[in-house]
Amino acid sequence: MSSVEEFRAEIRGWLKTHLSGSFAALEGRGGPGREHEAFAERLAWERHMAAHGWTCVGWPKEYGGRGATIEEQIAFHEEYALADAPARVNHIGEQLLGPTLIDHGTEEQKARFLPPVRAVEELWCQGYSEPGAGSDLAAVRTRAVREDDAWVVTGQKTWTSLAHEAQWCFVLARTEPGSRRHAGLSYLLVPLDRPGVEIRPIVQLTGTSEFNEVFFDGARTDAANVVGAPGDGWRIAMATLGYERGVSTLGQQVGFRRELDALVALARRNGAAADPDIRDRLTRAWAGLEALRAGALRGTDPSAAKLYWSHWHRDLGELALEVCGPAATLAAAAPYELDDWQRLFLFSRADTVYAGSSEIQRNIIAERVLGLPKEPRP
């Protein structure tokens, strides 16, 4: 048995043993559009994982991880998804902030922030998008001014996932007055439990509120809480986005497979599979998912991968309502209780927007991957 197969067998056995008792009820809970489900219990589960060394498996051992290889990380995320284990509550800290600090942070920052992330004692959110700077991230207007031993932050962030549950936010802010676009930005680590921070949940199409607006009105963070040099925030922010589209997407694809298999089963039960168009679209969805997995294993460019999976998942949501038929237009119960297929359809509309909109991904692919001329800009 290879080391990867041994690693896969180890995590599979651990999940089978520990996803039991009070934790058994968490199977399948949480995830996009459902982050409100059993949040406290999922937090306890993830702390249980941390106590047994199953968080941050890809981090180097010197920072509390297992030093897992890419192949082992793939095995971990796939086995976690195959076990139908609950959606992670600490993924922003573990998969985005942690790797960013390991590669770009100071030793002091690593010592302060990495242990609480690994132990799931501090949760993080991402302060990038703004009302006027969503897809055009370089247009951020949130500003930070250095005052003695602190940065003073003023501005607004939006679509901030799980900010209402987080204690910290990594914020892209403009720290050089008069700077434009990618220049003059800094990557700041800002506590959310201080004066000058207001968090307002945003009600989504699904009726839930996992996104938030975050307002900073003179919020302060220590001067040392800047990752990289002041003014070098764009480079650090882009590094974080690269980690966001990493190997964990293979676990995501296991969830996609479960959704597709359930949809095929529904189409067979309710007779929708008798429609040749439905059969064709289900077959295309299967082929698309196979291509998505092959691309991920081969190491597809992150922008291309994000563009592909987000459209595949949005299309699956549309197909789901076609399979369900006219009843899909009715809520299950008052005032707004959705079934799984309705929730999939509504929330997957956001897949092509968050983590970099499809329009921006196409520009990145064209200009940075294919080397085509840049789009004219004013």
Side-chain angles (χ1 to χ4, degrees):
M1 181 182 292
S2 71
S3 61
V4 175
E5 291 172 334
E6 291 174 353
F7 188 89
R8 185 182 290 275
E10 182 183 1
I11 180 58
R12 181 187 300 152
W14 188 89
L15 287 167
K16 183 177 180 180
T17 299
H18 290 263
L19 197 57
S20 59
S22 61
F23 291 134
L26 296 179
E27 290 187 6
R29 305 299 296 274
R34 301 166 55 194
E35 291 290 2
H36 62 288
E37 293 180 345
F39 191 90
E41 293 81 359
R42 288 161 52 211
L43 178 61
W45 159 253
E46 200 149 341
R47 287 174 174 166
H48 180 75
M49 291 178 62
H52 289 79
W54 285 113
T55 56
C56 308
V57 296
W59 289 14
K61 292 182 179 179
E62 59 265 34
Y63 299 118
R66 284 179 171 251
T69 65
I70 292 296
E71 292 78 10
E72 289 170 339
Q73 291 176 59
I74 291 171
F76 171 83
H77 289 293
E78 289 185 334
E79 290 299 327
Y80 191 88
L82 286 168
D84 204 18
R88 305 286 297 275
V89 302
N90 191 36
H91 59 281
I92 296 176
E94 177 177 326
Q95 297 172 20
L96 277 68
L97 177 80
T100 302
L101 289 183
I102 289 170
D103 288 345
H104 303 283
T106 65
E107 291 305 315
E108 292 76 14
Q109 289 169 345
K110 296 174 189 178
R112 163 61 184 86
F113 293 110
L114 293 182
V117 170
R118 194 203 65 79
V120 202
E121 293 173 352
E122 291 179 343
L123 302 182
W124 286 79
C125 60
Q126 182 180 31
Y128 278 14
S129 295
E130 300 182 4
S135 295
D136 186 11
L137 186 57
V140 296
R141 299 176 63 184
T142 294
R143 65 185 187 276
V145 178
R146 177 71 181 269
E147 291 186 1
D148 300 325
D149 60 350
W151 291 100
V152 181
V153 184
T154 302
Q156 178 186 356
K157 297 294 181 178
T158 194
W159 308 120
T160 311
S161 299
L162 298 179
H164 60 298
E165 301 286 359
Q167 292 79 47
W168 286 84
C169 182
F170 49 92
V171 176
L172 191 61
R174 197 163 295 282
T175 53
E176 295 180 8
S179 62
R180 297 182 67 252
R181 304 298 299 165
H182 308 88
L185 298 170
S186 295
Y187 190 108
L188 303 176
L189 310 179
V190 181
L192 298 179
D193 59 352
R194 304 273 181 88
V197 179
E198 181 184 358
I199 298 171
R200 300 179 190 171
I202 298 172
V203 179
Q204 301 150 197
L205 284 173
T206 53
T208 56
S209 299
E210 60 198 59
F211 297 130
N212 303 266
E213 293 180 289
V214 182
F215 296 85
F216 299 100
D217 185 9
R220 302 176 72 88
T221 189
D222 293 345
N225 289 343
V226 56
V227 182
D232 194 28
W234 183 259
R235 182 177 67 90
I236 307 299
M238 293 302 100
T240 299
L241 289 179
Y243 306 129
E244 184 177 20
R245 301 162 190 154
V247 297
S248 62
T249 58
L250 283 157
Q252 175 192 54
Q253 290 169 32
V254 174
F256 290 171
R257 174 75 63 188
R258 187 177 291 114
E259 289 174 341
L260 177 58
D261 289 347
L263 188 60
V264 170
L266 174 62
R268 287 171 173 163
R269 288 197 308 272
N270 71 4
D275 184 328
D277 179 62
I278 295 292
R279 287 203 307 273
D280 179 70
R281 291 169 66 184
L282 288 169
T283 303
R284 289 176 182 272
W286 176 86
L289 189 55
E290 290 294 309
L292 184 59
R293 174 173 170 76
L297 291 172
R298 189 179 59 187
T300 299
D301 174 81
S303 291
K306 199 303 180 159
L307 182 67
Y308 189 68
W309 75 252
S310 61
H311 283 261
W312 183 93
H313 200 222
R314 183 199 64 185
D315 292 347
L316 185 71
E318 295 178 352
L319 177 56
L321 293 202
E322 294 278 355
V323 170
C324 291
T329 62
L330 301 176
Y336 192 65
E337 183 179 330
L338 303 175
D339 63 28
D340 289 343
W341 300 120
Q342 292 168 326
R343 187 178 293 108
L344 168 64
F345 168 76
L346 291 172
F347 196 87
S348 64
R349 317 307 294 173
D351 286 348
T352 61
V353 178
Y354 66 74
S357 71
S358 295
E359 291 75 13
I360 294 301
Q361 301 304 334
R362 291 189 179 99
N363 278 352
I364 292 173
I365 294 167
E367 297 174 6
R368 302 181 190 177
V369 179
L370 301 178
L372 297 178
K374 289 189 175 182
E375 183 180 22
R377 292 176 173 84

